[in-house]
């Protein structure tokens, strides 16, 4: 056993590299990361990293690099399609959470993590597609598509929503959530219609035809992106690809919803934005899993492979980062080798309870963002307004944004 790598991590996206870094930096434990892509993935979109996510990035030593390539903010403004303010959520706060919220491209976060792995001397083997796992009593064998294999004491599946690691240890089916998103990035803020100056940014705008977010994403805030999430009928994987490629159709979907009776700068964006730059993404979900570990507990799932849901709570990457740091403190417990069954059960219970709350929060956001009749929309807007009058700008969100993964050790 001693010559085996202690840990093999499958997936070099967000959660996998964060786990490898946390293990090395906090506990001096080495691991090896296997990644399907030949190099780091530049695809993806801008994401929002709330303080609970940023805190993990700080703990693993990449926050400073990432922060300077994204837009930090504290106040998220909410308004209606008539540009009336509904509320103001303190989504970040150096005072209450130690961190601001950060809007940044996912690829920047991934690259920062992978670069830091290199600095720390943690091997990342690119171009390695895991195809099979064989779990034995004392180790796990990994088989890759190129015909090679490897062995480790424990394997961590951080291989995203369509996880092979998950398939190897349980039967599950990812399913379409009923929602998709359309995003356009790289809009010069100065090019927005002057009506944009009537609402502070970043702003979530709610109306009876749905929801549009306008978010600065560059360090100075001079570049913004816009996105909308919306209910949309299911279709096959091929049909989704066809729709995503048909940029005229994607722009039509946007214009039908937001081309009229919205603040002028939103109507203009849906018409003037270069349609070739629009991304359409269906959101797939992993159903709630009874376990995030294999029966013998030598295979462990984290991030989207364990619990992918829609990004309507802005918490997908955050949950992967939290999983990573909490698991690193679990794996490095002094009794782990002799008592891993108990420790992993505690970790799994702690994380799945939190994920249940975050999923409820996400689903609520999905309902608030969905189109409705004028009357229901009116009620929803009053509810949003009333909530912030009641809770103030903290919005009772300390449970979400104040979470510190280091606290897991109190449960052992
Ligand atoms: C449109 C959109 C907007 C989003 N917005 C937000 C947001 O605002 N805030 C937020 O926190 N989150 C957001 N998310 C969610 C976030 O991007 C994901 O939750 C996060 O990337 C998951 O990280 P992960 O490491 O678990 O998986 P991934 O980032 O998917 O990484 C998985 C890695 O595993 C590799 N892999 C896959 N299969 C194999 C295999 N067989 N062998 C080896 N390697 C493999 C992949 O190549 C990939 O590199 C958004 C997602 C989408 C789609």
């Amino acid at each position: 056993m001693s010559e085996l790598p202690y840990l093999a991590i499958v997936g070099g996206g967000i959660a996998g590299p964060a786990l490898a870094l946390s293990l090395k930096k906090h506990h001096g434990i080495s691991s090896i990361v296997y990644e399907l892509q030949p190099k780091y993935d530049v695809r993806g979109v801008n994401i929002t990293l709330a303080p609970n996510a940023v805190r993990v990035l700080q703990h693993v030593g990449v926050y400073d690099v990432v922060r300077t390539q994204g837009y930090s903010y504290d106040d998220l403004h909410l308004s209606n399609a008539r540009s009336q303010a509904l509320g103001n959520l303190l989504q970040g706060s150096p005072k209450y959470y130690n961190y601001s919220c950060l809007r940044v491209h996912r690829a920047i976060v991934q690259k920062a993590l992978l670069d830091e792995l290199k600095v720390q001397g943690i091997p990342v083997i690119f171009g390695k597609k895991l195809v099979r796992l064989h779990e034995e009593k004392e180790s796990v064998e990994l088989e890759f598509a190129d015909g090679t294999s490897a062995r480790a004491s424990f394997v961590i599946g951080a291989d995203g929503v369509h996880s092979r690691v998950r398939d190897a240890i349980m039967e599950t089916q990812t399913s379409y959530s009923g929602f998709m998103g359309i995003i356009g990035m790289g809009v010069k803020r100065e090019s927005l219609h002057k009506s944009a100056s009537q609402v502070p940014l970043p702003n979530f705008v709610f109306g009876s035809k749905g929801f549009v977010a306008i978010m600065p994403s560059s360090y100075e805030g001079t570049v913004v992106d816009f996105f909308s999430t919306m209910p949309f009928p299911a279709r096959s994987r091929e049909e989704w690809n066809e729709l995503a490629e048909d940029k005229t159709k994607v722009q039509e979907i946007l214009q039908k919803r937001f081309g009229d009776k919205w603040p002028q700068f939103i109507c203009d964006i849906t018409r003037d934005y270069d349609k070739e730059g629009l991304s359409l993404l269906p959101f797939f979900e992993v159903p709630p899993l009874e376990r995030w570990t294999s029966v013998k507990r030598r295979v462990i799932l984290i991030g989207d492979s364990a619990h992918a849901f829609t990004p309507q709570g802005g918490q997908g990457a955050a949950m992967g980062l939290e999983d990573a740091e909490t698991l690193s403190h679990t794996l490095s417990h002094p009794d782990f080798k002799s008592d891993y069954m108990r420790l992993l059960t505690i970790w799994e219970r702690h994380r799945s309870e939190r994920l249940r709350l975050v999923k409820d929060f996400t689903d609520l956001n999905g309902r608030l963002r969905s189109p409705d009749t004028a009357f229901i929309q009116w009620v929803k807007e009053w509810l949003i307004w009333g909530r912030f009058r009641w809770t103030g700008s903290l919005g009772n969100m300390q449970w979400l944004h104040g979470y510190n993964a280091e606290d897991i050790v109190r449960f052992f």
Side-chain angles (χ1 to χ4, degrees), residues 48-50 52-53 91 309-318 361-362 365 369:
T48 300
L49 296 176
N52 52 316
Q91 203 179 14
F309 42 69
T310 78
Q312 301 189 95
Q315 283 289 326
F361 166 74
T362 299
N365 280 345
R369 292 175 178 194

Side-chain angles (χ1 to χ4, degrees), residues 10-17 34-37 41 45-49 53 103 106 110 128-131 158-164 183 281-283 302-305 311 314-320:
V10 181
I14 303 292
Y34 296 104
E35 166 56 41
L36 162 84
Q37 299 292 337
D41 201 348
V45 294
N46 290 330
I47 60 174
T48 300
L49 296 176
R103 182 87 182 154
R106 180 194 169 282
Q110 188 188 14
K128 281 282 184 193
K129 179 180 181 181
L130 180 98
V131 286
D159 51 343
V161 59
H162 303 293
S163 168
R164 274 291 172 103
I183 183 165
L281 299 140
F283 302 139
I302 61 171
D304 274 9
S305 70
Q315 283 289 326
M319 290 303 107

Side-chain angles (χ1 to χ4, degrees), residues 232-282:
F232 206 77
R235 56 203 61 222
S236 68
R237 189 77 70 93
E238 294 71 34
E239 286 168 334
W240 277 120
N241 290 340
E242 264 171 42
L243 179 60
E245 288 306 313
D246 185 349
K247 304 293 181 180
T248 305
K249 179 85 188 146
V250 178
Q251 195 170 43
E252 266 173 34
I253 296 170
L254 274 184
Q255 279 185 358
K256 216 164 144 192
R257 285 175 186 266
F258 310 116
D260 186 25
K261 296 188 183 147
W262 285 75
Q264 194 58 45
F265 72 100
I266 291 180
C267 301
D268 285 0
I269 278 186
T270 65
R271 189 190 54 237
D272 298 340
Y273 185 79
D274 176 9
K275 61 182 188 218
E276 293 309 317
L278 290 172
S279 302
L280 179 148
L281 299 140

Side-chain angles (χ1 to χ4, degrees), residues 118-186:
K118 209 169 184 183
V119 172
Q120 297 298 324
I122 301 167
V124 183
I125 319 286
F126 287 99
K128 281 282 184 193
K129 179 180 181 181
L130 180 98
V131 286
R132 262 179 299 278
L133 280 180
H134 306 282
E135 188 179 13
E136 289 151 23
K137 191 158 175 269
E138 299 222 320
S139 66
V140 186
E141 188 189 23
L142 302 94
E143 267 186 43
F144 299 100
D146 61 7
T148 58
S149 63
R151 196 170 273 279
S153 315
F154 290 88
V155 169
I156 316 299
D159 51 343
V161 59
H162 303 293
S163 168
R164 274 291 172 103
V165 176
R166 187 182 63 238
D167 288 349
I169 61 168
M170 61 185 72
E171 280 194 14
T172 46
Q173 201 78 51
T174 52
S175 57
Y176 172 56
S177 64
F179 287 88
M180 61 102 158
I182 298 179
I183 183 165
M185 299 187 292

